Coordinates of all heavy atoms in Angstrom, one line a residue:
M1 N 152.4 131.5 138.6 CA 151.5 132.5 139.2 C 150.3 132.7 138.3 O 150.3 132.6 137.1 CB 152.2 133.9 139.4 CG 153.2 133.8 140.5 SD 153.6 135.5 141.1 CE 154.4 136.2 139.7
E2 N 149.2 133.0 139.0 CA 147.9 133.1 138.3 C 147.1 134.3 138.8 O 147.1 134.5 140.0 CB 147.2 131.8 138.5 CG 146.2 131.5 137.4 CD 145.3 130.3 137.8 OE1 145.8 129.4 138.6 OE2 144.2 130.1 137.3
K3 N 146.5 135.0 137.9 CA 145.6 136.1 138.4 C 144.2 135.5 138.6 O 143.6 135.0 137.6 CB 145.5 137.2 137.3 CG 146.5 138.3 137.5 CD 146.3 139.4 136.5 CE 147.5 140.2 136.3 NZ 147.4 141.1 135.1
V4 N 143.7 135.7 139.8 CA 142.3 135.2 140.0 C 141.5 136.3 140.8 O 142.1 137.2 141.4 CB 142.3 133.9 140.9 CG1 143.0 132.8 140.2 CG2 142.9 134.2 142.2
C5 N 140.2 136.2 140.6 CA 139.3 137.1 141.3 C 139.2 136.5 142.8 O 138.8 135.4 142.9 CB 138.0 137.1 140.6 SG 136.7 137.9 141.6
P6 N 139.5 137.3 143.8 CA 139.3 136.8 145.2 C 137.9 136.5 145.6 O 137.7 135.7 146.5 CB 139.9 138.0 146.0 CG 139.8 139.2 145.1 CD 139.9 138.7 143.7
V7 N 136.9 137.2 144.9 CA 135.5 136.9 145.3 C 135.1 135.6 144.7 O 134.4 134.8 145.3 CB 134.7 138.1 144.8 CG1 133.2 137.9 145.2 CG2 135.1 139.4 145.5
C8 N 135.3 135.4 143.4 CA 135.0 134.1 142.7 C 135.6 132.9 143.4 O 135.0 131.9 143.5 CB 135.4 134.1 141.3 SG 134.4 135.2 140.2
N9 N 136.8 133.1 143.9 CA 137.5 132.0 144.5 C 137.4 132.0 146.1 O 138.1 131.2 146.7 CB 139.0 132.1 144.1 CG 139.2 131.8 142.7 OD1 139.3 130.6 142.3 ND2 139.2 132.8 141.9
E10 N 136.5 132.8 146.6 CA 136.2 132.8 148.0 C 137.4 133.0 148.9 O 137.5 132.5 150.0 CB 135.4 131.6 148.4 CG 134.1 131.5 147.7 CD 133.3 130.2 147.9 OE1 133.9 129.3 148.6 OE2 132.2 130.1 147.4
I11 N 138.3 133.8 148.4 CA 139.5 134.2 149.2 C 139.2 135.3 150.1 O 139.6 135.4 151.2 CB 140.7 134.5 148.2 CG1 141.1 133.3 147.4 CG2 141.9 135.0 149.0 CD1 142.0 133.6 146.2
R12 N 138.4 136.2 149.5 CA 138.1 137.5 150.3 C 136.6 137.9 150.0 O 136.1 137.7 148.9 CB 139.0 138.6 149.8 CG 139.1 139.8 150.7 CD 139.8 140.9 150.0 NE 141.2 140.6 149.7 CZ 142.0 141.2 148.8 NH1 141.5 142.2 148.1 NH2 143.2 140.8 148.6
E13 N 136.0 138.4 151.0 CA 134.7 138.9 150.8 C 134.7 140.4 150.6 O 135.4 141.1 151.4 CB 133.8 138.5 152.0 CG 132.4 138.1 151.7 CD 131.6 137.7 152.9 OE1 131.9 136.6 153.5 OE2 130.7 138.5 153.3
I14 N 134.0 140.9 149.6 CA 134.1 142.3 149.4 C 132.8 142.9 149.9 O 131.7 142.5 149.7 CB 134.1 142.6 147.8 CG1 135.4 141.9 147.2 CG2 134.1 144.1 147.5 CD1 136.7 142.6 147.6
K15 N 133.0 144.0 150.7 CA 131.8 144.7 151.2 C 131.6 145.9 150.3 O 132.5 146.6 149.9 CB 132.1 145.3 152.6 CG 132.2 144.2 153.7 CD 130.9 144.1 154.5 CE 131.0 143.3 155.7 NZ 131.2 141.9 155.4
H16 N 130.3 146.0 149.9 CA 130.0 147.2 149.1 C 128.7 147.8 149.7 O 127.8 147.1 150.0 CB 129.7 146.7 147.6 CG 129.8 147.8 146.7 ND1 130.9 148.5 146.3 CD2 128.8 148.5 146.0 CE1 130.7 149.4 145.5 NE2 129.4 149.4 145.2
I17 N 128.8 149.1 149.8 CA 127.7 149.9 150.4 C 126.8 150.6 149.4 O 127.4 151.2 148.4 CB 128.2 150.9 151.4 CG1 129.1 150.2 152.5 CG2 127.1 151.7 152.1 CD1 128.4 149.2 153.4
C18 N 125.5 150.4 149.5 CA 124.6 151.1 148.5 C 124.8 152.6 148.6 O 124.8 153.2 149.7 CB 123.2 150.7 148.9 SG 122.0 151.4 147.8
K19 N 124.8 153.2 147.4 CA 125.0 154.6 147.3 C 123.7 155.3 147.8 O 123.7 156.5 148.2 CB 125.3 155.0 145.9 CG 126.7 154.8 145.4 CD 126.9 155.3 144.0 CE 128.3 155.0 143.6 NZ 128.3 154.2 142.3
K20 N 122.6 154.7 147.6 CA 121.3 155.3 147.9 C 120.9 155.3 149.4 O 120.6 156.3 150.0 CB 120.2 154.7 147.1 CG 120.2 155.0 145.6 CD 119.1 154.3 144.9 CE 119.3 154.4 143.4 NZ 118.5 153.4 142.6
C21 N 121.0 154.1 150.0 CA 120.5 154.0 151.3 C 121.6 153.5 152.3 O 121.3 153.3 153.5 CB 119.3 153.1 151.4 SG 119.7 151.4 150.8
R22 N 122.8 153.3 151.9 CA 123.9 153.0 152.8 C 123.8 151.6 153.4 O 124.4 151.4 154.5 CB 124.1 154.1 153.8 CG 124.3 155.5 153.3 CD 125.7 156.0 153.6 NE 126.2 156.9 152.5 CZ 127.4 156.7 151.8 NH1 128.1 155.7 152.2 NH2 127.7 157.5 150.9
E23 N 123.0 150.8 152.9 CA 122.9 149.4 153.4 C 124.0 148.5 152.7 O 124.5 148.9 151.7 CB 121.5 148.8 153.0 CG 120.4 149.3 154.0 CD 120.6 148.7 155.4 OE1 121.0 147.6 155.6 OE2 120.5 149.5 156.3
N24 N 124.2 147.4 153.3 CA 125.1 146.4 152.7 C 124.6 145.9 151.4 O 123.4 145.5 151.3 CB 125.4 145.3 153.6 CG 126.6 145.5 154.4 OD1 127.6 146.1 154.0 ND2 126.6 145.1 155.7
M25 N 125.4 145.7 150.4 CA 125.0 145.1 149.2 C 125.6 143.7 149.1 O 126.7 143.4 149.7 CB 125.5 145.9 147.9 CG 124.9 147.3 147.9 SD 125.3 148.2 146.5 CE 124.0 147.7 145.3
V26 N 124.9 142.7 148.5 CA 125.4 141.4 148.5 C 125.8 141.0 147.1 O 125.3 141.4 146.1 CB 124.4 140.3 149.0 CG1 124.2 140.5 150.5 CG2 123.1 140.5 148.3
D27 N 126.9 140.2 147.0 CA 127.4 139.7 145.7 C 126.5 138.8 145.1 O 126.0 137.8 145.7 CB 128.8 139.1 146.0 CG 129.4 138.5 144.7 OD1 129.2 139.1 143.7 OD2 130.2 137.6 144.8
K28 N 126.1 139.1 143.8 CA 125.3 138.2 143.1 C 126.0 137.4 142.0 O 125.4 136.8 141.1 CB 124.1 139.0 142.4 CG 123.1 139.6 143.4 CD 122.3 138.4 144.0 CE 121.3 138.9 145.1 NZ 120.6 137.8 145.7
G29 N 127.3 137.5 142.0 CA 128.1 136.8 141.0 C 128.6 137.7 139.9 O 128.4 138.9 139.9
R30 N 129.2 137.1 138.9 CA 129.8 137.8 137.8 C 128.7 138.3 136.9 O 127.6 137.7 136.8 CB 130.7 136.9 137.0 CG 131.9 136.5 137.9 CD 132.7 135.5 137.1 NE 133.5 136.2 136.1 CZ 134.1 135.5 135.1 NH1 134.0 134.2 135.0 NH2 134.8 136.2 134.2
T31 N 129.0 139.5 136.3 CA 128.0 140.2 135.5 C 127.4 139.3 134.4 O 126.2 139.2 134.2 CB 128.6 141.4 134.9 OG1 129.3 142.1 135.8 CG2 127.5 142.3 134.2
Q32 N 128.3 138.5 133.7 CA 127.8 137.8 132.6 C 127.0 136.5 133.0 O 126.3 135.9 132.3 CB 128.9 137.4 131.6 CG 130.0 136.5 132.2 CD 131.2 137.4 132.5 OE1 131.2 138.3 133.2 NE2 132.3 137.0 131.8
E33 N 127.1 136.2 134.3 CA 126.3 135.1 134.8 C 124.9 135.5 135.4 O 124.0 134.8 135.5 CB 127.1 134.3 135.9 CG 128.2 133.4 135.3 CD 129.2 133.1 136.4 OE1 129.0 133.3 137.6 OE2 130.3 132.7 135.9
Y34 N 124.9 136.8 135.7 CA 123.7 137.3 136.3 C 122.7 137.8 135.2 O 121.5 137.6 135.4 CB 124.1 138.5 137.2 CG 122.9 139.0 138.0 CD1 122.5 138.4 139.1 CD2 122.2 140.2 137.6 CE1 121.4 138.8 139.9 CE2 121.2 140.7 138.4 CZ 120.7 140.0 139.5 OH 119.7 140.4 140.2
F35 N 123.2 138.4 134.2 CA 122.3 138.9 133.2 C 122.2 137.9 132.0 O 123.2 137.4 131.5 CB 122.8 140.3 132.6 CG 122.8 141.4 133.6 CD1 123.9 141.9 134.2 CD2 121.6 141.9 134.0 CE1 123.9 142.9 135.1 CE2 121.5 142.9 135.0 CZ 122.7 143.4 135.5
D36 N 121.0 137.6 131.7 CA 120.7 136.6 130.7 C 121.2 136.9 129.3 O 121.4 136.1 128.5 CB 119.2 136.3 130.6 CG 118.7 135.6 131.9 OD1 119.5 135.0 132.6 OD2 117.5 135.6 132.1
D37 N 121.3 138.2 129.0 CA 121.7 138.6 127.6 C 123.1 138.4 127.3 O 123.5 138.7 126.2 CB 121.1 140.0 127.3 CG 121.6 141.0 128.3 OD1 121.9 140.6 129.4 OD2 121.5 142.2 128.0
Y38 N 123.9 138.0 128.2 CA 125.3 137.7 127.9 C 125.4 136.1 127.8 O 124.9 135.4 128.6 CB 126.3 138.1 129.0 CG 126.4 139.6 129.1 CD1 125.9 140.3 130.2 CD2 127.0 140.4 128.1 CE1 126.0 141.6 130.4 CE2 127.1 141.7 128.2 CZ 126.6 142.4 129.4 OH 126.8 143.7 129.5
S39 N 126.1 135.7 126.8 CA 126.4 134.3 126.7 C 127.6 134.0 127.6 O 128.4 134.8 127.9 CB 126.6 133.8 125.3 OG 127.8 134.3 124.8
A40 N 127.6 132.7 128.1 CA 128.6 132.4 129.2 C 130.0 132.6 128.7 O 130.9 132.9 129.5 CB 128.3 131.0 129.6
D41 N 130.2 132.4 127.4 CA 131.6 132.5 127.0 C 131.9 133.8 126.3 O 132.9 134.0 125.6 CB 132.0 131.3 126.0 CG 131.0 131.2 124.8 OD1 130.1 132.1 124.8 OD2 131.1 130.3 124.0
D42 N 131.1 134.8 126.5 CA 131.3 136.1 126.0 C 132.3 136.9 126.9 O 132.1 137.1 128.1 CB 130.0 136.9 126.0 CG 130.0 138.2 125.2 OD1 131.2 138.6 125.0 OD2 129.0 138.7 124.9
P43 N 133.5 137.2 126.3 CA 134.5 137.8 127.2 C 134.3 139.3 127.4 O 135.2 140.0 127.9 CB 135.8 137.6 126.3 CG 135.3 137.6 124.9 CD 133.9 137.1 124.9
I44 N 133.1 139.8 127.0 CA 132.9 141.3 127.0 C 133.2 142.0 128.4 O 133.6 143.1 128.5 CB 131.5 141.6 126.5 CG1 131.4 143.1 126.1 CG2 130.4 141.3 127.6 CD1 130.2 143.4 125.2
N45 N 133.0 141.2 129.5 CA 133.2 141.8 130.8 C 134.5 141.4 131.5 O 134.7 141.8 132.6 CB 132.0 141.4 131.7 CG 130.8 142.3 131.4 OD1 130.9 143.6 131.5 ND2 129.7 141.7 131.0
D46 N 135.3 140.7 130.7 CA 136.6 140.3 131.3 C 137.6 141.5 131.0 O 138.0 141.6 129.9 CB 137.1 139.0 130.8 CG 138.2 138.5 131.6 OD1 138.7 139.2 132.5 OD2 138.6 137.3 131.4
K47 N 137.8 142.3 132.0 CA 138.7 143.5 131.7 C 140.1 143.2 132.1 O 140.8 144.1 132.5 CB 138.1 144.7 132.5 CG 136.7 145.1 132.0 CD 136.3 146.3 132.8 CE 134.9 146.8 132.2 NZ 134.4 147.9 133.0
G48 N 140.5 142.0 132.0 CA 141.9 141.6 132.3 C 142.2 141.6 133.8 O 142.2 140.5 134.4
D49 N 142.5 142.7 134.3 CA 142.9 142.8 135.7 C 141.7 142.8 136.7 O 141.8 142.8 137.9 CB 143.7 144.0 136.0 CG 145.2 143.9 135.5 OD1 145.6 142.7 135.2 OD2 145.9 144.9 135.4
Y50 N 140.5 142.9 136.1 CA 139.3 143.1 136.9 C 138.3 142.0 136.6 O 138.2 141.6 135.5 CB 138.7 144.4 136.7 CG 139.5 145.6 137.3 CD1 140.4 146.2 136.5 CD2 139.4 145.9 138.6 CE1 141.3 147.2 137.0 CE2 140.2 146.9 139.1 CZ 141.1 147.6 138.3 OH 141.9 148.6 138.8
C51 N 137.5 141.6 137.6 CA 136.4 140.8 137.4 C 135.2 141.6 137.8 O 135.1 142.2 138.9 CB 136.5 139.5 138.3 SG 135.2 138.4 138.2
V52 N 134.2 141.6 136.9 CA 133.0 142.5 137.2 C 131.9 141.7 137.9 O 131.4 140.7 137.3 CB 132.5 143.2 135.9 CG1 131.4 144.2 136.2 CG2 133.6 143.8 135.1
H53 N 131.6 142.2 139.1 CA 130.5 141.5 139.8 C 129.3 142.4 139.9 O 129.4 143.6 139.9 CB 131.0 141.2 141.2 CG 131.8 139.9 141.3 ND1 131.4 138.8 141.8 CD2 133.1 139.7 140.8 CE1 132.3 137.8 141.7 NE2 133.3 138.4 141.1
V54 N 128.1 141.7 140.1 CA 126.9 142.4 140.3 C 126.6 142.4 141.8 O 126.6 141.4 142.4 CB 125.7 141.8 139.6 CG1 124.4 142.5 139.9 CG2 126.0 141.8 138.1
F55 N 126.4 143.6 142.4 CA 126.0 143.7 143.8 C 124.6 144.2 143.9 O 124.2 145.1 143.2 CB 127.0 144.6 144.6 CG 128.2 143.9 145.0 CD1 129.2 143.6 144.1 CD2 128.4 143.5 146.3 CE1 130.4 143.0 144.4 CE2 129.6 142.9 146.7 CZ 130.6 142.6 145.8
K56 N 123.8 143.6 144.8 CA 122.4 144.0 144.9 C 122.2 144.4 146.4 O 122.6 143.8 147.3 CB 121.5 142.8 144.6 CG 120.0 143.2 144.5 CD 119.2 142.1 144.0 CE 117.8 142.5 143.9 NZ 116.9 141.3 143.5
C57 N 121.5 145.6 146.5 CA 121.2 146.1 147.9 C 120.2 145.3 148.5 O 119.2 144.9 147.9 CB 120.8 147.5 147.7 SG 120.3 148.3 149.3
T58 N 120.4 145.0 149.8 CA 119.5 144.1 150.6 C 118.2 144.9 150.9 O 117.2 144.4 151.3 CB 120.1 143.6 151.9 OG1 120.7 144.7 152.6 CG2 121.2 142.6 151.5
K59 N 118.3 146.2 150.9 CA 117.2 147.1 151.3 C 116.4 147.6 150.1 O 115.1 147.4 150.0 CB 117.7 148.2 152.1 CG 116.6 149.0 152.9 CD 117.3 150.0 153.7 CE 116.2 150.9 154.5 NZ 116.8 152.0 155.1
C60 N 117.0 148.3 149.2 CA 116.2 148.9 148.1 C 116.4 148.2 146.8 O 115.8 148.6 145.8 CB 116.7 150.4 147.9 SG 118.3 150.6 147.2
S61 N 117.1 147.1 146.8 CA 117.2 146.2 145.6 C 117.9 146.9 144.4 O 117.8 146.4 143.3 CB 115.9 145.6 145.1 OG 115.4 144.8 146.2
S62 N 118.6 148.0 144.6 CA 119.3 148.6 143.5 C 120.5 147.8 143.2 O 121.1 147.1 144.0 CB 119.6 150.1 143.8 OG 120.8 150.2 144.5
I63 N 120.9 147.8 141.9 CA 122.0 147.0 141.4 C 123.2 147.8 141.0 O 123.0 148.9 140.3 CB 121.5 146.1 140.3 CG1 120.7 144.9 140.9 CG2 122.6 145.6 139.4 CD1 120.0 144.0 140.0
E64 N 124.4 147.4 141.3 CA 125.6 148.1 140.9 C 126.6 147.1 140.4 O 126.8 146.0 140.9 CB 126.2 148.8 142.1 CG 125.8 150.3 142.2 CD 126.5 150.9 143.4 OE1 127.7 151.0 143.3 OE2 125.8 151.4 144.3
N65 N 127.3 147.5 139.3 CA 128.4 146.7 138.9 C 129.7 147.1 139.6 O 130.0 148.3 139.7 CB 128.7 146.9 137.4 CG 127.6 146.2 136.5 OD1 126.9 145.3 137.0 ND2 127.4 146.7 135.3
V66 N 130.5 146.2 140.1 CA 131.7 146.5 140.9 C 132.8 145.8 140.2 O 132.8 144.6 140.0 CB 131.5 146.1 142.3 CG1 132.8 146.5 143.1 CG2 130.3 146.8 143.0
N67 N 133.9 146.6 139.9 CA 135.1 146.0 139.4 C 135.9 145.4 140.6 O 136.4 146.2 141.4 CB 136.0 147.0 138.7 CG 135.3 147.4 137.4 OD1 134.6 146.7 136.8 ND2 135.6 148.6 136.9
I68 N 136.1 144.1 140.6 CA 136.9 143.5 141.6 C 138.3 143.3 141.0 O 138.5 142.6 140.0 CB 136.4 142.1 142.0 CG1 134.9 142.2 142.4 CG2 137.2 141.5 143.2 CD1 134.5 143.0 143.6
K69 N 139.3 143.8 141.7 CA 140.7 143.7 141.2 C 141.2 142.3 141.5 O 141.1 141.8 142.6 CB 141.6 144.7 141.9 CG 142.9 145.0 141.1 CD 143.7 146.1 141.7 CE 144.8 146.6 140.7 NZ 145.6 145.6 140.1
K70 N 141.7 141.7 140.4 CA 142.2 140.3 140.6 C 143.6 140.3 141.4 O 144.3 141.3 141.3 CB 142.5 139.7 139.2 CG 141.2 139.3 138.5 CD 141.4 138.7 137.2 CE 140.1 138.5 136.4 NZ 140.4 138.0 135.0
I71 N 143.8 139.3 142.1 CA 145.1 139.1 142.8 C 145.9 138.0 142.2 O 145.4 137.1 141.6 CB 144.8 138.9 144.3 CG1 144.0 137.6 144.5 CG2 144.1 140.1 145.0 CD1 143.9 137.2 146.0
I72 N 147.2 138.1 142.5 CA 148.1 137.1 142.0 C 148.4 136.0 143.0 O 148.7 136.4 144.2 CB 149.4 137.7 141.5 CG1 149.1 138.6 140.3 CG2 150.5 136.7 141.1 CD1 150.3 139.6 139.9
I73 N 148.1 134.8 142.7 CA 148.4 133.7 143.7 C 149.5 132.8 143.1 O 149.8 132.7 142.0 CB 147.1 132.9 144.0 CG1 146.5 132.3 142.7 CG2 146.1 133.7 144.8 CD1 145.5 131.2 143.0
Ligands
LIG101 ZN1 134.9 137.4 140.3
LIG102 ZN1 120.0 150.5 148.8

């Protein structure tokens, strides 16, 4: 058995709604891949059971970090 992020592995799509304007936010990938100031092998955002993704609002472009709970496959 293995713990994987369902979003990274395209098992499940996560819907996230913008707190400001209630529009759909789109997944921009894992936090450390989105922000340049993290090196790729920096484990700072690997919280064990969670994978941290960046979601961006399609309307107001605000950005939120979302903890995606890993599932066991
Ligand atoms: Zn992920
Ligand atoms: Zn918004």
Side-chain angles (χ1 to χ4, degrees):
M1 288 202 294
E2 206 186 337
K3 267 188 203 166
V4 299
C5 169
V7 179
C8 288
N9 291 276
E10 296 174 359
I11 296 165
R12 196 188 298 161
E13 220 176 289
I14 301 290
K15 289 259 192 292
H16 197 72
I17 303 296
C18 180
K19 284 185 185 123
K20 288 177 191 165
C21 62
R22 306 245 145 234
E23 280 294 315
N24 267 324
M25 299 182 89
V26 290
D27 179 29
K28 291 290 179 185
R30 298 174 73 193
T31 313
Q32 62 256 60
E33 286 159 14
Y34 187 77
F35 294 108
D36 290 339
D37 53 340
Y38 292 112
S39 68
D41 54 1
D42 193 342
I44 196 162
N45 280 304
D46 195 352
K47 294 183 178 175
D49 285 344
Y50 292 91
C51 181
V52 186
H53 279 250
V54 178
F55 278 74
K56 190 175 183 185
C57 178
T58 52
K59 195 177 176 188
C60 73
S61 297
S62 86
I63 280 173
E64 269 183 59
N65 289 336
V66 180
N67 291 333
I68 310 291
K69 200 172 196 312
K70 290 181 185 172
I71 57 168
I72 294 166
I73 56 165

